[in-house]
Amino acid sequence: MPHRMETESRKLLGRLREALAADNEGQARLDAVVGLIADSMGAEVCSIYLFRDAETLELCATRGLQAEAVHQTRMRLGEGLVGRVAKERQVVNTADAPAAKGFRYMPETGEERFASFCGVPIQRLGEVLGVLVVQSKDGREYTPDEVYALEIVAMVIAEMTELGAFVGEGAALSARHQQSVMLRGSVAQEGASEGVVFLHEPRVVVTNPISDDPERERARLNDAINQLRSGVDEMLTGSGSVDEAQTQVLEAYRMFANSSSWLRRMEADVENGLSAEAAVEKEQSHARARMSKSKDPYLRERLHDLDDLSNRLLRILTGQGAAARADMPDNPILVARNIGPGELLEYGKKIKGIVLEEGSVGSHATIVARAWAIPLIINARGVTREALNGDPILVDGEQGIAHLRPDETVQAAFQDKLAMQTRAQERYASIRDLPATAKCGTTISLQMNAGLIADLPSLAGSGAEGVGLFRTELQFLVRNQMPRRAELSALYSRVLKAADGKRVAFRTLDIGSDKVLPYMKPNDEPNPAMGWRAIRVGLDKPGVLRMQLQALLRAANGQPLDVMFPFITQINEYRSARAEMDKAIARETKLGHPLPSALRVGAMLETPSLAFAPDVFFEEVDFISIGGNDLKQFFFAADRENERVRRRYDTLDISFLSFIERVVKRCALSGTPLSFCGEDAGRPVEALCLAALGIRTLSMRPASIGPVKHLLRRVDLNEVKSVMDEAIANGDQSVRRAVSDWLVYQV
């Protein structure tokens, strides 16, 4: 870039800093900024448009257009050239604006006199805050040097907008991070919680975007880059115990950290008047804009790496975020883009709720949230940009909504909801030690799902009769290497001891799909939920399965033991897995170790195919547990990670219930114990219908046992079945409405 342009850019930023430092109102600062830019660029028009809401841009300041149009001219996202810049997050530079794609004439602005147009997005870390525009009567395109200078200025405007330099009257000039915001996501774990935001990765605030000493800023930048590179090298040096895939990730980090083009772009930004921090953020914003538009998963992953490195570099430069965890508030709601199980477990059960920008219903975070019985919302777009540490937040895990900085009306309604839940829990506590016996005399065994040793105290407190599903994969997921047999045996032994004689059904390792071990090479599969997962992995890697089975046998140490294999789709898979158990038993016998006093080996029915297995399967298997979450998605061909379809199909659909009833009848004929575990087991109406079909054991999260037991004890299951049969005879799609209407007069 020519030295003259660099000098002019620094001069402009210097004048901008003076204007922004003046003791003026936000509108006066904006007016001064557009005047300075117009004079510096030799442009007849300079305008700044800011968002007044998520879909609407507003003209907030101008030099050259009609003054009366300020705060009156508005356009939708994507409307006109300004809306196009904001939507596409790209520069629009044209010598003939009226002929350009998307042009819309705004008569109140008087812009018809100006042929040339250059619009630059005002963006910060991938979030577009507005658009900076220059226009001239001459029909010309602005030079690359001029566009670059505008991008530098737009970046400073974005930082100052974030810091509140342009606060004034009206929605477009309202202070950021102060308004009430409702963020809608997806439900991963139900519940409700009130607290304050605790950011997993605290926002780095750049308070000095402009510098008048490029040499000093270049030195700061290079010192920080050297620290970053050293840190990445140290991670690689200490990566001897991790697998090739993790090493490749670290190698990608090192590649970016040593990228001369990345450093060169930031040094150019510094030379043009930005501080080192602002230069890093400018390049990070460009990377995030590219990431948001890229459809290539590999490129998105690499841009994600660059984004993470930029955050590390910013923390080195600013020193911010180092003591975040030490400052955890009393009622923290964890807010993050995404989070692994190890990081989440480090925070401990002090966390009252979780809101993630990404995530999935079967993710590691979901498993931990269910174990802790705290609400979790996933796919809450924009939460990490909008939330600040300490902001009040309400998490509605029933609706998948987070209310950030709620107003008094929302807060009062939410507190009423929490009070009602508290009263309900008190009511459920009074029946905790009573059996779940319906009026017809049928008793349902209510058991709990678990995955952590910390879950086991809920066994007594919830009134659960046992653990119908103990997920064993978390002990594998939170580590950087395969756990040892002795470690697993000690853990399983503590689980059995904590259960104090109550049944615990251990599910063998269920990995694959959305649960990938960090030390196993990931498999890029087009449909991982139907790919190499669960027992398929166990049978292909029998050493891992055998080691886990030996650990379980040793943990039992002469006590009864229940083990079940996940995702069994046909009889031969069960027989092969059972053969591995027999081998483990033979080895333990040879070593002289005590065997379980009673061993039951079961299968999880999670695909429709197993319901049509030959009769001999139902005779051979010791028990069957229906995995409702997976079974439902495969029955309806509706991916439970896909929000467009996962709520489209009802558990109480006639066809699904008919299928469940078929399984119930086959198990009854063979005398095979049958249970149902999953989210639907913990929903009172669904649980009622499953019990009416003949399922006598339900396994659910501990917090659901009270509500389910409360309803079961107040109804006659024979009458429920009659209502369901009548709905079927009437040709209803689902029995939900009929059963719900009937319950109104019963409870």
Side-chain angles (χ1 to χ4, degrees), residues 263-316:
L263 177 59
R264 189 165 55 247
R265 289 194 302 271
M266 291 188 290
E267 286 181 332
D269 296 335
V270 165
E271 187 63 32
N272 279 279
L274 291 183
S275 66
E277 295 91 335
V280 175
E281 275 210 355
K282 178 176 177 292
E283 296 308 315
Q284 188 179 20
S285 291
H286 280 243
R288 285 197 179 180
R290 288 177 62 199
M291 186 161 49
S292 68
K293 290 180 289 189
S294 174
K295 295 181 180 179
D296 182 341
Y298 177 80
L299 179 59
R300 285 181 62 86
E301 191 63 30
R302 297 290 70 80
L303 289 169
H304 192 286
D305 293 341
L306 181 57
D307 192 60
D308 183 62
L309 276 180
S310 299
N311 284 331
R312 292 172 183 264
L313 188 55
L314 282 170
R315 290 190 172 90
I316 292 171

Side-chain angles (χ1 to χ4, degrees), residues 527 529-530 533 567 569 605-612 626-640 645-646 648-663 676 680 693 733-734:
N527 192 346
M530 299 177 70
R533 57 172 291 198
F567 211 63
T569 62
L605 192 156
E606 299 171 275
T607 63
S609 64
L610 196 61
F612 299 93
I626 296 175
N629 297 341
D630 264 334
L631 179 61
K632 185 176 172 183
Q633 77 166 338
F634 294 129
F635 185 86
F636 289 112
D639 184 356
R640 65 191 182 114
V645 298
R646 81 181 186 100
R648 194 170 194 156
Y649 300 98
D650 189 359
T651 304
L652 301 186
D653 184 282
I654 299 297
S655 58
F656 188 66
L657 292 180
S658 298
F659 177 81
I660 296 294
E661 191 169 23
R662 173 188 175 87
V663 177
F676 187 104
D680 291 318
L693 288 178
Q733 179 72 42
S734 166

Side-chain angles (χ1 to χ4, degrees), residues 445-453 455-460 462-472 495-496 498-507 562-564 600 623 625 675 677 697-700 702 705:
S445 176
L446 302 184
Q447 302 185 10
M448 62 174 270
N449 300 331
L452 299 166
I453 188 69
D455 299 341
L456 274 298
S458 298
L459 193 54
S462 65
E465 297 177 37
V467 179
L469 167 65
F470 189 91
R471 306 178 182 93
T472 61
V495 170
L496 290 169
D500 195 24
K502 292 184 177 180
R503 174 187 186 242
V504 179
F506 290 94
R507 181 180 69 188
D562 280 16
V563 177
M564 57 186 179
R600 298 200 312 161
F623 65 93
S625 177
S675 64
C677 70
T697 301
L698 300 171
S699 189
M700 63 201 73
I705 290 176

